[in-house]
Amino acid sequence: MKEYPPIHRIENAVCHECGKPASLTHDPTEIPGKGEEEGFIYSRPILQCTDPACGEEFVAPEDAKELHDALCLHGGLLLPEEIKEIREEYGRRNEPSGKISQKNFAERIGFGRSTIARYEARLQVQNKASDILLRACRDLPGFDDLVAASFAKDQLKKQAKVQETGPMAKAFRQQNGGQSKVTSSRANIFDLTASRQWAA
């Protein structure tokens, strides 16, 4: 297990669970790993509630950044600053403005909308699969083309879904016995007919 040196101390701490005083423990604390991953010794300060009935252990806000980075380093994962740089470099390569938001970058590479924001703000440690994908964005030649093709395909699927579930498609189903699948040729005919009816 890798051991990290203590770098911070805090006084007059209060337990965030019960509100009673919390004491600082200088004893190294083992942080468990995920799944089969080995844990590691965290030597930065850990706060413990002085009430035995509570016994809550937590990290001081001043140490949250260090704990997050220690978890990343232990797991061989990208640090938040590295993820931000990958996003910014992707924007410089692919966007006319040279910039891309956290939300748009996350959607472009197939993550949830707020995922990149959580990674960069140290609110969540990425898993191995996400880390590999981010590294591919930085290091793999041709990655941008793959992302562009996949994103374009997803956009077409979304447009097709909107066309099939929109008001015109609903009207089509009403006129055709509840049929839910609209072929392109029949949809075009219906679009023209419906437009004439609504314009009348």
Side-chain angles (χ1 to χ4, degrees):
M1 293 185 181
K2 188 172 183 179
E3 187 168 341
Y4 297 91
I7 62 170
H8 190 73
R9 293 292 178 263
I10 188 171
E11 297 179 355
N12 302 321
V14 175
C15 177
H16 63 273
E17 285 292 325
C18 66
K20 295 183 179 179
S23 62
L24 187 69
T25 173
H26 296 261
D27 297 330
T29 302
E30 182 177 351
I31 304 296
K34 293 182 178 180
E36 298 181 356
E37 183 181 280
E38 185 183 18
F40 68 98
I41 298 298
Y42 181 73
S43 294
R44 292 177 175 85
I46 297 291
L47 291 164
Q48 185 174 36
C49 182
T50 55
D51 184 357
C54 177
E56 181 72 12
E57 291 184 341
F58 56 98
V59 177
E62 293 86 345
D63 293 301
K65 174 181 181 294
E66 285 73 23
L67 176 56
H68 183 282
D69 290 357
L71 289 168
C72 290
L73 291 170
H74 173 71
L77 304 173
L78 294 164
L79 293 170
E81 292 83 0
E82 294 176 297
I83 294 175
K84 181 180 180 181
E85 177 57 32
I86 289 172
R87 172 176 62 85
E88 291 178 342
E89 179 58 32
Y90 180 89
R92 287 191 286 269
R93 293 195 308 264
N94 295 280
E95 297 299 310
S97 65
K99 298 180 180 180
I100 188 169
S101 67
Q102 295 169 329
K103 172 180 172 292
N104 288 341
F105 179 59
E107 290 182 332
R108 194 72 58 85
I109 62 176
F111 288 175
R113 291 185 175 185
S114 60
T115 300
I116 293 296
R118 292 198 301 270
Y119 291 167
E120 292 186 12
R122 290 182 169 83
L123 298 178
Q124 180 181 348
V125 176
Q126 70 274 19
N127 58 29
K128 290 283 188 181
S130 297
D131 196 80
I132 290 171
L133 183 60
L134 289 165
R135 290 176 186 273
C137 180
R138 181 188 64 187
D139 303 330
L140 182 65
F143 180 87
D144 293 357
D145 293 336
L146 292 173
V147 169
S150 177
F151 184 71
K153 186 176 180 180
D154 288 343
Q155 294 301 107
L156 288 174
K157 287 182 179 179
K158 289 180 181 179
Q159 292 175 7
K161 185 175 181 180
V162 169
Q163 291 175 358
E164 191 165 329
T165 59
M168 295 182 70
K170 291 179 180 178
F172 179 85
R173 287 195 293 272
Q174 291 174 357
Q175 293 184 9
N176 292 272
Q179 180 179 336
S180 60
K181 191 70 175 178
V182 182
T183 62
S184 58
S185 58
R186 295 183 70 183
N188 290 336
I189 293 172
F190 169 69
D191 287 348
L192 179 60
T193 304
S195 298
R196 288 172 177 169
Q197 290 175 347
W198 292 338

